[in-house]
């Protein structure tokens, strides 16, 4: 089994999920970048997508999710 399947089977979750954050999808990343380019504040995006302000900053500056246009 890969690691994700093993975690699910054994009832373990990632560190982020334990803190109430959710995983971001490529579609979310595209939406975050579009909304940010339209003037939406990073703090509002962080609340809307249930992630940290740092995660939003990393996404909009293309530090993370570089492969998503």
């Amino acid at each position: 089994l890969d690691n994700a399947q093993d975690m699910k089977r054994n009832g373990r979750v990632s560190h982020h999920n334990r803190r109430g954050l959710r995983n971001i999808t490529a579609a979310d990343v595209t939406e975050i970048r579009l909304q940010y380019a339209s003037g939406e504040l990073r703090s509002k995006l962080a609340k809307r997508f249930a992630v940290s302000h740092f995660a939003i900053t990393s996404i909009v500056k293309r530090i993370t999710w570089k492969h998503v246009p």
Side-chain angles (χ1 to χ4, degrees):
L1 295 176
D2 74 74
N3 193 38
Q5 289 173 328
D6 182 61
M7 287 174 62
K8 184 176 180 180
R9 186 188 69 195
N10 291 307
R12 294 187 304 264
V13 296
S14 73
H15 180 67
H16 290 281
N17 287 338
R18 283 195 307 256
R19 288 197 273 146
L21 302 177
R22 69 178 187 87
N23 291 328
I24 292 290
T25 66
D28 291 335
V29 169
T30 300
E31 185 64 25
I32 288 166
R33 288 179 178 155
L34 286 171
Q35 289 183 23
Y36 179 75
S38 296
E40 189 66 74
L41 297 174
R42 284 180 271 184
S43 58
K44 287 188 179 184
L45 290 169
K47 287 181 183 179
R48 184 174 306 133
F49 287 91
V51 297
S52 69
H53 183 271
F54 179 75
I56 297 296
T57 299
S58 295
I59 290 167
V60 299
K61 290 186 173 189
R62 297 183 185 275
I63 295 167
T64 56
W65 291 90
K66 295 176 188 178
H67 64 284
V68 177

